Amino acid sequence: MSPHTTSPQPLDTWSPDRTHWLELPAHRSSVSLARRSMDARLTAWRLPGELCADAVLLVSELATNAVRHALGTRFLCGVGLVGVGCLRLEVHDQDRSGRVLPRCEPGPDDEGGRGLLLVEQLAQSWGVDRSRLTGGNAVWVTLTA
């Protein structure tokens, strides 16, 4: 699935029963924190196992991109219930440069470069917007059970 140019309604910034936000430093160790925190929240919401696994994988990939490629010291991860069996994930960075990373075509021996390929395969829809929270990029994904 290709990225959409317009985002559905962004996540609420405060609705603890339906959304979960996490602010982390832009360090490699933060990716595992984001993964564990999202897994705990999704498990508490009692969502189907496959949906939780896909969401945790995509949060991990998007958080990794925010740490590796964005200019900034912090990033935000958000997840929200936006319908029955439907999740929206968001990762916001602080990169205000406006640069767009080129599409990566990883080789069979490359250790990285497959994150957005996973997003395309697993997401119902996804895209990139300007973040209303950080001024950087907001990558969003919708997943359904």
Side-chain angles (χ1 to χ4, degrees), residues 31-95:
V31 175
S32 63
L33 291 171
R35 195 171 39 245
R36 286 193 309 268
S37 178
M38 293 299 164
D39 184 51
R41 175 57 61 172
L42 297 171
T43 300
W45 284 341
R46 300 176 191 252
L47 296 171
E50 187 175 330
L51 179 62
C52 292
D54 289 349
V56 168
L57 175 62
L58 294 186
V59 163
S60 180
E61 293 298 330
L62 297 178
T64 297
N65 285 350
V67 169
R68 290 185 70 200
H69 302 295
L71 304 173
T73 59
R74 304 193 70 70
F75 67 97
L76 296 170
C77 289
V79 62
L81 296 167
V82 293
V84 176
C86 185
L87 290 175
R88 179 178 166 101
L89 309 172
E90 295 181 11
V91 174
H92 298 243
D93 64 40
Q94 295 177 322
D95 192 339

Side-chain angles (χ1 to χ4, degrees), residues 69-72 93-100 130-137:
H69 302 295
L71 304 173
D93 64 40
Q94 295 177 322
D95 192 339
R96 296 179 178 150
S97 70
R99 68 189 171 113
V100 176
R130 185 62 39 206
S131 172
R132 70 195 190 290
L133 301 174
T134 66
N137 300 304

Side-chain angles (χ1 to χ4, degrees), residues 104-114:
C104 180
E105 295 296 332
D109 295 329
D110 290 342
E111 290 184 18
R114 292 175 182 80

